[in-house]
Amino acid sequence: MDDVRLTPGMLSTLQKALAAGAPAGAAAAAQAAQAAGGGPSFSDALGVALKSVSQAQATSSDLQRRFQAGVEGVSLEETMIAMQKAQVGFQAALALRNRLVSAYTDVMNMSV
């Protein structure tokens, strides 16, 4: 798998997309943390991102089932876009996980 590198512009776009697509409770928690301490904690931001990825996958699965069942009003284009959003989100989460594991391994291998 290719290494994923985020530019500041891409990171800003991802943050806006996550904020727009995050569940209401998670967005409120992130805003409260940001107001209280000047910014959301890493764990809060990670939790919001993972919930957003999970929601995108659930939406994609639901649209796939509805399209296969022939429900009127569910288009192939809408279903494919939802599937791609879910895939991109999952790949980003996987890349983040790999980076975190690598950083953890590096820290644990440091001599003290």
Side-chain angles (χ1 to χ4, degrees):
M1 184 172 159
D2 294 329
D3 193 18
V4 177
R5 301 217 186 268
L6 295 177
T7 65
M10 291 169 62
L11 183 58
S12 173
T13 302
L14 281 173
Q15 289 171 337
K16 288 176 186 173
L18 288 174
Q31 288 175 349
Q34 190 172 19
S41 70
F42 178 76
S43 62
D44 290 341
L46 182 60
V48 168
L50 290 176
K51 286 178 184 174
S52 176
V53 169
S54 178
Q55 180 63 36
Q57 289 178 330
T59 301
S60 171
S61 294
D62 182 53
L63 283 173
Q64 288 177 45
R65 274 190 241 103
R66 290 172 51 203
F67 181 77
Q68 290 172 352
V71 174
E72 198 168 320
V74 179
S75 68
L76 177 61
E77 295 83 7
E78 179 184 15
T79 304
M80 294 301 294
I81 289 171
M83 289 171 57
Q84 288 299 313
K85 284 181 181 180
Q87 182 181 11
V88 168
F90 181 75
Q91 288 175 348
L94 186 63
L96 177 64
R97 191 252 354 221
N98 291 342
R99 290 284 179 108
L100 288 172
V101 169
S102 176
Y104 176 79
T105 303
D106 290 346
V107 168
M108 293 306 293
N109 288 332
M110 287 182 180
S111 60
V112 178

